[in-house]
Amino acid sequence: YSIKDKNMSNLISNIPYTELAIGQSASMSRTVSAEDIALFAAASHDTNPAHLDADYAADTQFKHVIMHGIWSAGLISAVIGTKLPGMGTIYLGQDLQFRRPVYIGDTITATLTVAEKNDAKKWVTLDCVVTNQNGDKVVVGKANVLAPSEKISREAIAVPQVSLKS
């Protein structure tokens, strides 16, 4: 389905392979809410109590409910799909290391930087660093993508509004 942004003037554009440069970067930030954790659990079926049960989480090494680690990788995917390189990119692979927990109320920022280009295959390696509001690295890794060959501009699609029912 498609939901157009209500502003209707919010154009997004991709960055074709030929316009990508080593060192070029893009970022996206989100503040984690309890609802984000519940929505991710509903979508992924990962109902580990470390993510959903405060009483259980209190007895873990983290002492509080934590966000699913792979949710941070979703933020990396969002940067790839909407900013760097953006629309038309084919996600080939991802290497991740989870360094720190992400808690409710944390603001995390995924920053991707062009590290390598393979002209023969039009593949791009992106360094991926996800930090919290204190600058602590919570996830690090590398992504490999096939960058688009043509420039594309379109109206941004608004994030769907969803709610949970018990």
Side-chain angles (χ1 to χ4, degrees):
Y1 69 94
S2 177
I3 301 173
K4 297 294 182 188
D5 191 302
K6 292 179 182 172
N7 295 333
M8 299 306 254
S9 62
N10 190 8
L11 286 180
I12 60 171
S13 298
N14 68 354
I15 304 170
Y17 182 85
T18 56
E19 293 179 21
L20 290 168
I22 304 296
Q24 188 173 6
S25 66
S27 299
M28 182 179 290
S29 298
R30 289 278 315 270
T31 299
V32 177
S33 70
E35 186 173 58
D36 289 329
I37 294 173
L39 286 167
F40 192 85
S44 68
H45 289 243
D46 180 351
T47 58
N48 180 332
H51 307 301
L52 300 167
D53 183 336
D55 291 335
Y56 174 88
D59 290 332
T60 69
Q61 69 189 54
F62 304 117
K63 304 298 180 205
H64 301 281
V65 166
I66 58 172
M67 174 51 96
H68 301 75
I70 205 69
W71 183 87
S72 298
L75 200 56
I76 292 170
S77 178
V79 175
I80 290 171
T82 64
K83 295 185 175 198
L84 184 71
M87 295 172 284
T89 301
I90 306 297
Y91 209 150
L92 300 172
Q94 181 76 56
D95 169 36
L96 297 171
Q97 293 87 46
F98 299 95
R99 300 270 176 92
R100 292 180 175 268
V102 174
Y103 298 102
I104 294 169
D106 281 353
T107 298
I108 63 167
T109 301
T111 301
L112 280 56
T113 304
V114 177
E116 298 175 35
K117 292 177 68 177
N118 178 323
D119 292 338
K121 295 185 176 183
K122 305 295 187 240
W123 288 4
V124 178
T125 300
L126 301 165
D127 284 332
C128 305
V129 178
V130 182
T131 57
N132 64 18
Q133 66 278 1
N134 300 319
D136 299 321
K137 293 177 181 177
V138 298
V139 178
V140 297
K142 292 191 178 292
N144 294 305
V145 301
L146 176 60
S149 58
E150 296 180 5
K151 186 78 167 178
I152 303 169
S153 294
R154 297 180 52 102
E155 287 180 17
I157 297 174
V159 175
Q161 297 299 310
V162 296
S163 60
L164 293 169
K165 295 180 185 176
S166 297

